[in-house]
């Protein structure tokens, strides 16, 4: 039988274990139920962008900007200086529809939409090296430190893949559908949400949305009124806290910072 003192100590310990963390309401799951930070974009500068480019993937490797574009029979992959003509270009044969791209040193991976293949390429020449099959659709792609690939397929789920074999190694649910083009920055993944002016900052370890970025002002500036002329393309500018943002068939790429919306 427990003594009154022991019972009191156990009860105190139980209450302490159930106490909410600072800033957390009782019953909240740490992190998951925390409201996302509300952000917007502060434009630093603008750069020319090919208005015919149906942007599906955007990523820097050093000072080289890679861009993957879609549409069957018109899909390309380009590499070159941001805002300038591409130094290298590869064309995808019909009916392949290009999607997200990510660069892993000497090679890169480029997704296709409903064709079920990822194309591995030489990152300098953009020459095709091999194709690897996968199930479902391909939308966005990026990689984290250590090489883990992060892929979206238009659902609420991010899938992790092996950079060598492209095999699935895990996944996480974000709780928000139509995740599109991706950019990995440290432990975060930035994701465009298709057919919106919104991008999300996601903790890749948990799937928790830690930030919501309103980029509606950019769409208004380029007067993008078509149903498909949506925000799509995030590339972190190396060595800075800035990002390039663009959209499908936009004539401009915006160099921006993400800042608190209420500021």
């Amino acid at each position: 039988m427990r003594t009154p003192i022991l019972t009191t100590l156990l009860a105190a310990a139980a209450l302490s274990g159930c106490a909410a963390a600072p800033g957390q309401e009782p019953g909240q799951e740490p992190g998951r139920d925390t409201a996302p930070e509300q952000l917007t974009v502060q434009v630093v500068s603008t750069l020319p962008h090919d208005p015919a480019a149906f942007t599906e993937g955007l990523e820097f490797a050093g000072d080289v900007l890679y861009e993957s574009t879609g549409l069957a029979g018109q899909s390309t992959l380009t590499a070159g200086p941001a805002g300038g003509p591409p130094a290298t270009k590869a064309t995808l044969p019909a009916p392949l529809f290009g999607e997200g791209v990510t660069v892993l040193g000497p090679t890169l991976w480029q997704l296709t939409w409903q064709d079920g293949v990822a194309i591995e390429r030489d990152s300098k020449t953009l020459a095709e090296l091999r194709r690897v099959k996968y199930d479902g659709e391909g939308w966005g792609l990026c990689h984290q430190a250590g090489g883990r690939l992060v892929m979206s397929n238009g659902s609420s789920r991010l899938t992790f893949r092996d950079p060598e074999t492209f095999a699935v190694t895990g996944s996480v649910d974000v709780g928000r559908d139509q995740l599109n083009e991706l950019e990995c920055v440290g432990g975060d993944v930035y994701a465009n949400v298709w057919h919106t002016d919104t991008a999300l900052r996601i903790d890749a370890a948990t799937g928790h949305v830690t930030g919501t970025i309103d980029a509606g002002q950019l769409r208004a500036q380029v007067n993008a009124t078509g149903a498909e002329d949506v925000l799509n393309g995030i590339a972190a500018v190396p060595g800075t806290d800035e990002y390039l943002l663009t959209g499908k068939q936009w004539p401009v790429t915006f160099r921006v910072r993400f800042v608190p919306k209420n500021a």
Side-chain angles (χ1 to χ4, degrees):
M1 184 171 69
R2 296 190 178 117
T3 65
I5 294 177
L6 179 58
T7 301
T8 301
L9 290 174
L10 288 172
L15 289 171
S16 176
C18 294
Q24 176 189 340
E25 294 296 327
Q28 279 188 322
E29 176 187 347
R32 172 62 73 172
D33 295 326
T34 304
E37 184 181 9
Q38 299 300 305
L39 302 167
T40 188
V41 293
Q42 180 186 72
V43 177
V44 176
S45 62
T46 59
L47 297 168
H49 182 247
D50 180 0
F54 200 77
T55 306
E56 300 289 3
L58 201 67
E59 185 173 285
F60 273 107
D63 58 358
V64 178
L65 183 66
Y66 291 78
E67 182 171 7
S68 176
T69 70
L71 299 177
Q74 302 178 45
S75 296
T76 65
L77 178 65
T78 60
T88 314
K89 181 177 181 178
T91 301
L92 280 69
L96 296 183
F97 190 118
E99 285 283 349
V101 63
T102 195
V103 185
L104 297 166
T107 63
L108 63 82
W109 286 106
Q110 182 182 23
L111 298 178
T112 57
W113 179 31
Q114 296 178 320
D115 307 290
V117 293
I119 303 171
E120 186 179 37
R121 297 180 181 275
D122 182 293
S123 59
K124 289 187 177 180
T125 66
L126 305 187
E128 184 175 326
L129 302 176
R130 61 171 170 151
R131 297 184 185 184
V132 176
K133 293 183 179 180
Y134 58 82
D135 294 329
E137 297 184 357
W139 287 42
L141 190 67
C142 64
H143 73 276
Q144 295 183 294
R148 181 173 75 167
L149 303 179
V150 184
M151 176 176 163
S152 63
N153 62 4
S155 71
S156 63
R157 187 163 292 276
L158 294 176
T159 300
F160 306 124
R161 293 182 177 272
D162 183 275
E164 295 293 332
T165 66
F166 216 73
V168 174
T169 59
S171 66
V172 66
D173 191 84
V174 176
R176 184 75 180 267
D177 286 333
Q178 298 196 320
L179 302 178
N180 202 353
E181 210 271 327
L182 305 178
E183 178 73 1
C184 292
V185 180
D188 294 326
V189 175
Y190 289 85
N192 285 277
V193 180
W194 190 46
H195 277 169
T196 76
D197 297 322
T198 299
L200 306 178
R201 186 184 65 208
I202 303 162
D203 182 337
T206 63
H208 175 55
V209 176
T210 63
T212 300
I213 303 159
D214 178 0
Q217 63 169 287
L218 305 184
R219 182 175 167 84
Q221 287 186 48
V222 298
N223 195 29
T225 57
E228 295 297 328
D229 301 341
V230 295
L231 179 74
N232 203 44
I234 306 177
V237 181
T240 75
D241 62 350
E242 298 170 359
Y243 296 80
L244 290 189
L245 298 184
T246 193
K248 299 174 188 288
Q249 298 174 324
W250 286 14
V252 172
T253 298
F254 296 90
R255 184 163 174 160
V256 305
R257 294 188 183 94
F258 300 145
V259 298
K261 194 171 184 177
N262 59 8

